[in-house]
Amino acid sequence: MMISMRKHKLVHMWIFSMALILIPQLTIAYTVERLQRLAQASSLSYLPVESMGTSPYLEASQLTPLGQVVDPTTESGATVFADHPNNQLIIACRGSANPRNFGTNLKFKLVPANRLSQSPPPPRDAMVHDGFQEASVGLWQKLGPPLLETLRRQPFEDKIKDVVFTGHSLGAATALLCAVHYSSTQHDKDMVDAYIKPRIVTFGGPKLCNGSLARY
């Protein structure tokens, strides 16, 4: 069950309103224009790629969708966009759009954070939202290979400067955890020259872990 266009527009309005509220807390690099582009990417991620052309946000954002993936188990999704004006890749993780996504949200028991691809692993007392961890693991399995291949190929005319993970609500949680998975690739032999430290800007994100994991 995909989100309706009307709801898609309402989600975008809410996301961007939240972004404006948070501006004073962000670095100067995130201008209103760049925040709006991330909000538009987060909104567009609710749509299949073939329907994005019907949204006014695609042309307004100047984003180019490079690919879209969905984890078949949790039905969490993400879209990779090229932001050519800013030489950056935007990974926009989709928020709740179907019953299975809402089921993921309800798996709110904190469990050991032992599936986040980190070396060394998080402390033993590090705990994370069960549903979000499961969704991020499945989503990263689909997202990781094409994302890393894109970084190795460097498809932009100028070198990619930034890799930004973003998303709204459930997508905010999976974006943050997928960024954690992505960060574990920095020591891979084939990523030595391609890895770019990720930036994370999310909207309306839920609490997803305990203090031990947050400090880690």
Side-chain angles (χ1 to χ4, degrees), residues 194-216:
Y195 179 81
I196 299 170
K197 186 175 180 180
R199 297 176 183 268
I200 306 166
V201 179
T202 61
F203 306 98
K207 182 177 179 180
L208 74 159
C209 66
N210 68 353
S212 178
L213 183 58
R215 288 187 293 272
Y216 171 79

Side-chain angles (χ1 to χ4, degrees), residues 42-202:
S42 296
S43 293
L44 287 166
S45 71
Y46 282 87
L47 301 174
V49 170
E50 59 270 20
S51 299
M52 289 183 185
T54 64
S55 170
Y57 304 139
L58 186 64
E59 182 177 357
S61 65
Q62 298 181 285
L63 296 175
T64 303
L66 300 180
Q68 190 173 70
V69 297
V70 176
D71 167 37
T73 302
T74 65
E75 296 185 12
S76 296
T79 306
V80 179
F81 294 96
D83 177 9
H84 289 286
N86 294 295
N87 288 335
Q88 66 180 357
L89 285 180
I90 297 175
I91 300 91
C93 294
R94 173 172 49 74
S96 301
N98 56 61
R100 194 166 293 184
N101 293 159
F102 290 104
T104 292
N105 296 336
L106 293 175
K107 294 181 180 179
F108 45 72
K109 179 182 178 181
L110 292 181
V111 298
N114 54 15
R115 303 176 64 193
L116 298 180
S117 308
Q118 291 297 291
S119 181
R124 290 186 179 181
D125 61 345
M127 307 289 282
V128 66
H129 184 291
D130 186 16
F132 298 157
Q133 178 170 236
E134 179 185 15
S136 75
V137 170
L139 186 55
W140 181 248
Q141 288 175 351
K142 295 293 183 181
L143 174 64
L147 173 61
L148 300 183
E149 178 59 25
T150 298
L151 287 168
R152 287 190 290 264
R153 286 191 295 106
Q154 286 289 335
F156 289 17
E157 187 173 325
D158 295 318
K159 187 174 181 179
I160 297 171
K161 295 179 180 178
D162 288 316
V163 172
V164 185
F165 286 81
T166 191
H168 161 250
S169 191
L170 167 62
T174 52
L176 195 156
L177 293 177
C178 281
V180 173
H181 289 288
Y182 167 72
S183 69
S184 70
T185 68
Q186 61 185 296
H187 302 300
D188 293 356
K189 290 182 179 179
D190 58 351
M191 288 296 293
V192 171
D193 296 323
Y195 179 81
I196 299 170
K197 186 175 180 180
R199 297 176 183 268
I200 306 166
V201 179
T202 61

